[in-house]
Amino acid sequence: MENRNREEIESGRDAPYLSGSVWPRASYATEYFNPPKVHPSLPNYLWLIAGDDYGKGLDDSDPSVGGDELATENHLPGLLARAGWTWREYAEGIDGKHCPLASAGGYLCKHNPFVYFDGLTGGLNPDDGLCRAHNRPFSELAADLAGGRVANFNFITPDRCHDMHDCATRSGDDWLSQQLPPILASRPYREAGAVFIVWDEGSDGSDGPLPFAVLSPFAKGGGYHDAVHYDHSSTLKTVEEIFGLSPLLGHAADPAVEDLSDLFQPFVIRGRGSLPARPGG
């Protein structure tokens, strides 16, 4: 989600579903920030999957503009693939027929960090098959959940209105009220799932604190919250720990970075047997 401070969501005025239904059910953080002075969108999205902004400060351009591709393979999809886990990006506004390297309509590249890495796009090739396989229209998610075809790690990018970027907070809240319940009712979520609801940065250039919540059968839930200082490095570190990945990427490896384990039941984080088996056992 996009560009909101915590109080804007938790006040309930413009986000009645999140404040009235999700937060009381979830574990949530009251002191979650984007990394200090990391703005605008793209650097924060890159940070979520790689632990760094790669010098992209103030750069929100599409990768198709040229010169934006990142050659590094030190990113979450690379670690997941090498460890035998699957991953997928579900984005609103893409057709699934091409690698989505250009913003169009409601789809903004800067909210899809995966298309900025050279190795994930076949060298910025719009016809790259692996890129198409990993970047799918959000409209396919429901059938993939019902058919047991979702990946182990799934990143959901709403369009520029549903993520609150270009539209009112209520638009995003209404969208989540329609899209979250089927996910939470699905077998993959009920058996071994976790949904992280993350905002990229604060409103009006603020670093936060941002809204941040975790829904999971393994979370403490029930409105549990803490005041631990977190940022996007914390989310990345936690995902790596859940999947047993190494090394910790970028700033996720900083000694001062706290993972999100306090929001979960004690046995979940750090590879303690809470995940489903890999496909095929």
Side-chain angles (χ1 to χ4, degrees):
M1 308 300 286
E2 284 280 314
N3 302 2
R4 295 295 185 274
N5 290 337
R6 178 173 61 82
E7 61 269 18
E8 297 176 70
I9 299 302
E10 293 183 15
S11 69
R13 182 181 63 255
D14 298 319
Y17 172 67
L18 286 168
S19 62
S21 297
V22 175
W23 256 238
R25 177 178 178 177
S27 296
Y28 64 93
T30 63
E31 294 294 316
Y32 187 102
F33 297 81
N34 58 255
K37 302 188 184 304
V38 172
H39 300 285
S41 291
L42 176 58
N44 283 291
Y45 281 80
L46 294 174
W47 205 291
L48 276 165
I49 69 164
D52 204 305
D53 65 359
Y54 294 100
K56 296 284 185 184
L58 304 180
D59 181 1
D60 263 349
S61 59
D62 288 1
S64 55
V65 171
D68 282 333
E69 61 272 27
L70 297 168
T72 180
E73 295 183 0
N74 293 323
H75 45 59
L76 186 57
L79 293 186
L80 287 165
R82 290 192 286 274
W85 301 106
T86 56
W87 68 275
R88 192 170 296 133
E89 152 81 359
Y90 288 99
E92 278 197 304
I94 66 173
D95 60 15
K97 299 176 182 179
H98 306 92
C99 181
L101 297 169
S103 299
Y107 168 73
L108 297 176
C109 285
K110 63 185 180 180
H111 299 163
N112 175 6
F114 306 100
V115 295
Y116 288 84
F117 292 91
D118 195 61
L120 301 179
T121 63
L124 297 182
N125 177 5
D127 297 316
D128 183 64
L130 286 176
C131 178
R132 293 199 309 270
H134 284 111
N135 291 267
R136 303 307 306 161
F138 176 74
S139 58
E140 295 180 359
L141 176 61
D144 287 350
L145 282 168
R149 296 187 297 272
V150 289
N152 299 120
F153 174 82
N154 303 278
F155 195 104
I156 296 173
T157 299
D159 69 25
R160 64 197 304 169
C161 184
H162 294 150
D163 66 7
M164 307 182 184
H165 185 275
D166 287 359
C167 295
T169 300
R170 188 62 174 265
S171 297
D173 189 71
D174 288 344
W175 185 83
L176 286 168
S177 74
Q178 298 166 17
Q179 305 305 330
L180 263 181
I183 295 173
L184 302 181
S186 69
R187 182 176 177 180
Y189 171 81
R190 289 184 286 109
E191 290 187 348
V195 174
F196 297 83
I197 307 175
V198 188
W199 275 253
D200 68 331
E201 58 183 330
S203 55
D204 299 321
S206 165
D207 289 348
L210 316 179
F212 180 89
V214 177
L215 291 157
S216 175
F218 306 115
K220 290 178 179 175
Y224 176 83
H225 55 280
D226 64 25
V228 178
H229 182 93
Y230 302 121
D231 67 16
H232 296 329
S233 299
S234 303
T235 300
L236 176 60
K237 181 176 182 177
T238 303
V239 172
E240 287 200 60
E241 289 174 340
I242 289 174
F243 286 100
L245 305 176
S246 63
L248 291 174
L249 296 166
H251 290 277
D254 291 353
V257 170
E258 296 280 354
D259 65 19
L260 302 169
S261 58
D262 183 60
L263 302 178
F264 287 86
Q265 300 169 30
F267 64 90
V268 175
I269 305 297
R270 305 186 197 281
R272 298 179 185 174
S274 63
L275 289 169
R278 292 179 178 84

